[in-house]
Amino acid sequence: YFSPRTSVSIPLAEKLNLNAAWGVFFQSPSYIWLVSNSQNKDLKNIRANHYVAGIEYILTSDMRFSIEGYYKKYSDYPASTVRNYLILANQGGNFQNTGDFGLEPLVSAGSGYSKGVEFFFQKNLSDNFYGTLNFSYFDARFTALDGIERESDFNNKFLLSINAGVVLGKGWEAGGKFRFNGGRPYTPINPNNGTVDVSQYNTARLPDYNRFDIRVDKRWNFKKWSLVTYIDIQNLFNKKNITQYKWNKFTKTIEEDKSLGTLPTIGINAQF
């Protein structure tokens, strides 16, 4: 496969750069798709054309931020010939759902795109403090054999991630991470009988997701090795995010699958 790529950076001012990039990328189909049906051995490599442009500004020697816009065009994506609404880009690999594996005849006829804007701020470690802030607003959609454009399973619309840490001295360090994402699309379940109407595929949306983690480390440095102990608390505010809705065939009700609540961990590492 011929996969050309190029990029350019143009200085607009002393600390301001205009950046742009274009490239063609290929990815082999998943092995399980290739071997699950004899027809699937003819699947093509998935193709993606990337277009990126933005500006980068150097605030100080340890701080910078950038704003970029991007567009990604996908083609030759495996699509189901049995479920004509389904493109395999939307399958997340739920090992309890064999429908996610693509164990059926597939053809390289699916297409899609993702586009968005991303803001990134970074402060390198100085004055005992470091951190990053990343915010993305985007849209991702795919088209299967029925020709209808639908939202990707992973089209959260926005993603916010903040990481920060501080070096306290005498081997102590503390840090935290906060994530706030839009809810993922899903196909609504009929509350009367648990059936799913594929004409409504990915027309509903899960609640927004948020989580805050913190960690404190203590390091002892010896002549030839270091000892590190830490306390890590995931999901400090005990936010039980809804990951999916499912039908309980015994109670005949729709149930919520939720993530774990607060999860503390204590650890010891020896580094040589």
Side-chain angles (χ1 to χ4, degrees):
Y1 287 87
F2 180 58
S3 183
R5 303 166 196 179
T6 185
S7 63
V8 62
S9 181
I10 303 173
L12 300 179
E14 181 181 357
K15 298 182 178 182
L16 181 66
N17 298 318
L18 172 65
N19 302 320
W22 167 82
V24 179
F25 300 83
F26 292 93
Q27 180 178 335
S28 299
S30 174
Y31 185 68
I32 195 171
W33 302 343
L34 294 171
V35 302
S36 62
N37 188 283
S38 59
Q39 174 182 320
N40 297 351
K41 68 180 185 297
D42 296 323
L43 289 174
K44 301 177 183 179
N45 272 12
I46 302 163
R47 175 172 177 154
N49 289 17
H50 292 199
Y51 308 86
V52 184
I55 59 172
E56 178 186 42
Y57 185 70
I58 308 300
L59 292 166
T60 63
S61 61
D62 63 343
M63 287 191 290
R64 68 184 181 95
F65 79 84
S66 62
I67 300 175
E68 289 186 335
Y70 65 87
Y71 180 81
K72 301 178 183 180
K73 179 66 175 177
Y74 305 101
S75 57
D76 295 331
Y77 229 110
S80 171
T81 60
V82 177
R83 297 175 284 175
N84 67 351
Y85 62 91
L86 182 65
I87 184 169
L88 272 296
N90 278 338
Q91 302 311 96
N94 183 343
F95 296 108
Q96 296 180 343
N97 181 9
T98 56
D100 277 0
F101 290 135
L103 306 178
E104 58 208 69
L106 307 172
V107 291
S108 297
S111 61
Y113 66 85
S114 62
K115 59 183 179 180
V117 178
E118 182 172 292
F119 173 87
F120 178 72
F121 171 82
Q122 179 182 40
K123 183 187 183 304
N124 295 328
L125 177 60
S126 63
D127 301 321
N128 296 327
F129 177 77
Y130 60 90
T132 62
L133 184 151
N134 183 276
F135 177 76
S136 298
Y137 183 79
F138 62 95
D139 190 30
R141 298 174 182 270
F142 288 94
T143 303
L145 294 185
D146 62 2
I148 299 174
E149 184 180 277
R150 296 181 173 89
E151 289 199 62
S152 162
D153 272 19
F154 307 98
N155 196 18
N156 301 75
K157 293 295 187 182
F158 68 88
L159 304 172
L160 172 66
S161 177
I162 302 173
N163 293 275
V166 57
V167 177
L168 301 170
K170 296 184 178 180
W172 288 95
E173 183 176 344
K177 181 176 183 179
F178 175 72
R179 283 165 284 180
F180 183 43
N181 307 333
R184 287 173 48 182
Y186 75 96
T187 306
I189 301 171
N190 188 324
N192 297 317
N193 54 24
T195 58
V196 174
D197 183 359
V198 297
S199 68
Q200 301 298 312
Y201 188 79
N202 277 359
T203 57
R205 190 171 291 276
L206 295 172
D208 293 342
Y209 172 102
N210 70 79
R211 171 173 152 179
F212 180 56
D213 306 332
I214 62 169
R215 174 167 165 153
V216 177
D217 291 70
K218 168 61 176 173
R219 174 184 294 268
W220 289 270
N221 293 316
F222 300 100
K223 186 175 181 180
K224 295 184 177 181
W225 65 288
S226 297
L227 180 67
V228 180
T229 62
Y230 66 86
I231 299 175
D232 185 300
I233 304 178
Q234 299 181 30
N235 199 0
L236 180 66
F237 299 137
N238 199 33
K239 172 67 174 179
K240 297 184 179 180
N241 295 286
I242 297 175
T243 56
Q244 68 172 348
Y245 297 104
K246 63 182 181 180
W247 178 254
N248 187 320
K249 62 182 179 181
F250 301 106
T251 62
K252 308 298 182 184
T253 58
I254 299 174
E255 296 182 344
E256 300 173 344
D257 261 2
K258 295 183 178 181
S259 60
L260 290 174
T262 302
L263 180 63
T265 304
I266 299 175
I268 301 176
N269 292 328
Q271 300 175 354
F272 297 90

